[in-house]
């Protein structure tokens, strides 16, 4: 299989998993997933992310209450809150024309971690967080922006194979070539 086909197989396999088995997510797996976030691309190579790994049940429940739609967060083996450090060092400030690009970079890291989780047969799902309440739960500083949360955990028996068709719009509806006006 070509590298492209392998990658597409992995990306097609990834789907949001919201419920997990009780099996503990060991540190080795977690480190491998975090490593995928570490090597993600970022604007000006700022690497503006910090990954807060939450495994404590009380903290997970508090973050569940800070989620937009995530009343299942407490069931995750680990919940990674991806936080953007807006003071991250920029090599050439002139080229950072859009300050939000640091947050976009954090989202890219999140996707990398989800793909790594899939490759390790670990379920994942991005969960939107209300910035203020999540910020309070983690006692973050003013320059830290909550980008989102990532649930991780072992899949329940049967869920591994419950592959469903990804509901996606057709390619032609989302691509425009050579637009001139
Ligand atoms: C930025 C972002 C925010 C999301 N927020 C939530 C969320 O708060 N709760 C949730 O259950 N899923 C959330 N999701 C997962 C999406 O619902 C899911 O990716 C989408 O429905 C497509 O399904 P799939 O991931 O299984 O392919 C989010 C995904 C992204 C990328």
């Amino acid at each position: 299989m070509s590298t492209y086909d392998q990658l597409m197989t992995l990306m097609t396999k990834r789907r949001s998993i919201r419920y997990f088995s009780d099996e503990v997510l060991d540190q080795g797996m977690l480190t491998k997933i975090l490593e995928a976030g570490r090597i993600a691309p970022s604007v000006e190579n700022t690497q503006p992310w910090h990954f807060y790994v939450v495994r404590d049940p009380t903290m997970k429940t508090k973050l569940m209450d800070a989620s937009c739609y995530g009343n299942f967060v407490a069931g995750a083996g680990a919940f990674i809150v991806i936080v953007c450090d807006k003071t991250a060092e920029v090599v050439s400030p002139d080229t950072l024309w859009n300050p939000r690009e640091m947050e976009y970079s954090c989202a890219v890291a999140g996707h990398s971690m989800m793909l790594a989780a899939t490759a390790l047969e670990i379920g994942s799902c991005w969960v939107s967080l209300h910035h203020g309440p999540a910020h309070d739960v983690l006692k973050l500083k003013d320059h830290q922006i909550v980008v989102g949360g990532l649930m991780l955990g072992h899949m329940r028996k049967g869920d591994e194979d419950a592959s469903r068709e990804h509901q996606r719009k057709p390619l032609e509806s989302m691509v425009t070539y050579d637009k001139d006006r």
Side-chain angles (χ1 to χ4, degrees):
M1 211 193 279
S2 70
T3 307
Y4 174 80
D5 287 343
Q6 286 175 345
L7 181 62
M8 286 305 276
T9 300
L10 182 71
M11 290 199 290
T12 306
K13 190 173 165 195
R14 187 219 54 81
R15 63 197 171 86
S16 293
I17 301 291
R18 297 180 175 85
Y19 300 96
F20 304 91
S21 77
D22 293 335
E23 191 183 341
V24 173
L25 187 60
D26 71 45
Q27 184 60 50
M29 289 281 193
L30 209 41
T31 303
K32 284 181 173 174
I33 293 166
L34 290 161
E35 188 64 24
R38 184 182 77 84
I39 64 168
S42 59
V43 60
E44 282 281 327
N45 201 21
T46 43
Q47 305 163 64
W49 41 68
H50 194 89
F51 308 127
Y52 289 89
V53 182
V54 180
R55 290 173 292 191
D56 173 66
T58 308
M59 282 292 277
K60 276 191 289 185
T61 302
K62 283 184 182 169
L63 285 163
M64 181 163 79
D65 294 341
S67 71
C68 303
Y69 167 59
N71 57 340
F72 27 69
V73 166
F79 190 56
I80 301 180
V81 182
I82 306 174
V83 170
C84 181
D85 175 358
K86 300 291 281 188
T87 62
E89 195 180 342
V90 180
V91 182
S92 328
D94 291 351
T95 61
L96 190 65
W97 51 271
N98 178 354
R100 300 212 68 173
E101 289 199 326
M102 284 194 181
E103 282 136 271
Y104 304 159
S105 302
C106 292
V108 173
H111 186 233
S112 297
M113 290 194 279
M114 286 194 281
L115 288 181
T118 306
L120 294 165
E121 308 284 339
I122 297 296
S124 68
C125 181
W126 186 290
V127 172
S128 307
L129 291 167
H130 294 293
H131 178 265
H135 203 269
D136 290 347
V137 171
L138 291 171
K139 298 186 173 54
L140 299 176
K141 305 260 171 38
D142 287 349
H143 64 268
Q144 291 180 295
I145 306 291
V146 175
V147 175
L150 211 56
M151 294 199 298
L152 295 171
H154 286 277
M155 283 186 262
R156 298 182 300 186
K157 284 241 169 324
D159 283 1
E160 309 94 328
D161 305 322
S163 59
R164 54 150 179 71
E165 189 79 8
H166 282 250
Q167 298 293 316
R168 297 294 194 259
K169 294 184 253 180
L171 187 60
E172 56 273 20
S173 72
M174 57 184 73
V175 180
T176 302
Y177 289 98
D178 302 326
K179 187 176 190 315
D180 58 0
R181 72 185 104 180

